[in-house]
Amino acid sequence: MMLFRNADEVPVGFGPSVVAIGKFDGLHAGHRAIVERMLVDAAGTGSRTVAVTFDRNPLALIAPEKCPRPLIGVAQKIDLLDGTGIDATLVLAFDDELAGEEPERFVERVLVGALHAERVLVGGDFRFGRGGAGDSALLERMGAVHGFTVEVMPDIASAGDGRRVSSTWIRELLDAGEVERAAKLLGRPHGMRGEIVHGLKRGRELGFPTANLAEDAEGFVPADGVYAGWLIVPRGDLGSVVRYPAAISVGTNPTFDDVERRQVEAYVLDEADLDLYGLRVEVQFVARIRGMVAFEGVERLIDQMADDVAHVGDALRQG
C-alpha cells in the first residue's frame, strides 16, 4: 500500500481513484463496509482505491475537552488499512490550516487535484471543511461539476437492538472490560502497541515475569483487570512475528499500592526467559478473566495469579 502524508506527495497522474473518507478510528465493521464497497466499485473500472483519513480526531484541535480517547493510534490505523488490500492511504495532518480550509477548496485540492476521484464514499455523519460546513450534499454538488459521484453509506447496525456500530460503542465496551463483544464489532481482538520497558520487576519476584508496555503505547486501554490474550512480537527483519499466549494485567497493582499510573503488562505463558526490552510489540485482548482487586498478602496474590494463568490458558484454547 502506498502511504502519503500530504496531498502534495501524491504523484502527478495518480488516478483515477475511488476514495473513502473518514476518521476510521478502530476500522470497525462500519468502516470496513465502506472500504469493501470501495474495493468492489474500483474492481469494475480498474481505478485506484484510496482511504483519506487524519492523524488525529479533528476534535483534538477544535474542541479538545470533547475529544474521546482514540481506539487506535495512527501507526495501527495505517497497518489495518494496509491489510484491507487498498492501493493507498492519505493521512492528512489535522492542523489549523486544514481546520480553516473552505470545504470547496478541500475538494478541489485533495479529491480533484491530487487523487482525480471519480467516486467518493462517506458515512452519513461526514462533515469537513471550516466549521464543518461541508457535507455529502456539498460533495454531490461539486461532484456534478468536477465529474465524480458520491455515495453515502448506510449505517451498520446490530440486529439485536438496532444500535449503530460506532467507535463510541466500542469505547463503552472496552471501558466495561467487555473485550469479547468489542472484538465482534472490530472484526478482530482489540490491541495496543508499544515498546517494552523496564518496570518494578515485581512480577519476576513473584514468579510471573511480565513485559510492560510503555506509557505512550498506542491504543485504548480497557478496564482494569486480568485478560487472556496474545503478545505479538516481531521476529527478524522480514516483517514476521511470533504470537505468544499471555495473561495481561491492566491497572495499578492495588495489592502493593505503589504504582501511580495504570499499567499494561503481559505474562507470557510457559516462556520465562524472553528478552523483549526495547522491542515494539502488540498486546491483543481476547477475554476478561476477572476485575482488579487488592489481596491480603503476597501468598494470596501468587495463588490468584496461578489460577489466572490456568484460566487464561483455558480461554485461549476455547477461542
Side-chain angles (χ1 to χ4, degrees):
M1 181 187 77
M2 293 174 280
L3 176 62
F4 308 121
R5 298 281 186 173
N6 189 294
D8 293 338
E9 294 181 4
V10 180
V12 175
F14 183 91
S17 63
V18 180
V19 180
I21 313 176
K23 294 189 292 289
F24 298 123
D25 185 24
L27 201 67
H28 56 60
H31 299 143
R32 292 198 311 275
I34 295 177
V35 171
E36 289 166 6
R37 180 55 183 265
M38 174 173 61
L39 289 165
V40 171
D41 286 350
T45 63
S47 298
R48 307 250 197 183
T49 48
V50 185
V52 176
T53 190
F54 309 98
D55 68 344
R56 72 202 79 177
N57 188 319
L59 286 176
L61 179 70
I62 298 170
E65 71 282 359
K66 297 180 180 179
C67 186
R69 289 175 289 164
L71 288 175
I72 55 176
V74 176
Q76 289 177 293
K77 177 160 54 174
I78 290 169
D79 285 348
L80 288 169
L81 286 168
D82 186 15
T84 66
I86 64 175
D87 294 312
T89 292
L90 170 58
V91 181
L92 298 173
F94 198 89
D95 52 19
D96 289 329
E97 182 178 358
L98 185 60
E101 187 173 41
E102 296 295 337
E104 294 85 357
R105 172 59 182 158
F106 177 86
V107 170
E108 293 168 352
R109 180 176 64 87
V110 177
L111 300 181
V112 178
L115 301 178
H116 302 284
E118 62 178 12
R119 186 161 173 77
V120 178
L121 289 80
V122 296
D125 58 356
F126 176 69
R127 295 292 185 275
F128 68 105
R130 186 167 65 89
D135 58 11
S136 58
L138 175 61
L139 276 178
E140 289 172 348
R141 292 196 299 271
M142 294 200 70
V145 174
H146 293 286
F148 63 82
T149 60
V150 176
E151 181 172 359
V152 179
M153 293 292 294
D155 292 337
I156 302 296
S158 166
D161 59 9
R163 183 169 182 179
R164 170 179 172 266
V165 176
S166 68
S167 301
T168 298
W169 186 7
I170 296 169
R171 277 188 286 270
E172 291 175 4
L173 292 172
L174 294 176
D175 264 333
E178 297 186 48
V179 295
E180 291 174 277
R181 289 184 65 195
K184 295 182 188 303
L185 302 181
L186 290 167
R188 65 182 187 282
H190 173 65
M192 294 183 64
R193 184 186 298 177
E195 183 179 342
I196 297 298
V197 298
H198 291 277
L200 295 176
K201 294 183 171 60
R202 183 163 285 134
R204 184 173 298 278
E205 295 170 1
L206 298 175
F208 298 90
T210 59
N212 298 344
L213 280 186
E215 187 174 359
D216 63 354
E218 292 184 290
F220 192 97
V221 184
D224 289 0
V226 176
Y227 296 84
W230 302 98
L231 183 68
I232 313 299
V233 179
R235 179 176 61 184
D237 300 325
L238 301 178
S240 61
V241 297
V242 181
R243 190 173 76 151
Y244 294 104
I248 305 161
S249 171
V250 178
T252 58
N253 203 334
T255 298
F256 296 95
D257 195 28
D258 58 358
V259 178
E260 295 182 357
R261 67 173 183 83
R262 298 175 73 210
Q263 293 183 328
V264 178
E265 47 189 327
Y267 166 69
V268 176
L269 275 59
D270 304 322
E271 292 282 353
D273 299 320
L274 290 175
D275 182 7
L276 304 175
Y277 292 117
L279 294 179
R280 189 166 181 81
V281 305
E282 181 169 354
V283 172
Q284 294 181 345
F285 301 87
V286 174
R288 194 181 196 208
I289 303 301
R290 64 171 174 86
M292 188 61 68
V293 296
F295 293 94
E296 296 181 0
V298 173
E299 292 302 322
R300 177 70 183 89
L301 173 60
I302 292 174
D303 289 343
Q304 182 61 58
M305 293 171 72
D307 188 62
D308 290 340
V309 168
H311 281 87
V312 165
D314 290 342
L316 294 177
R317 283 190 290 273
Q318 292 171 7

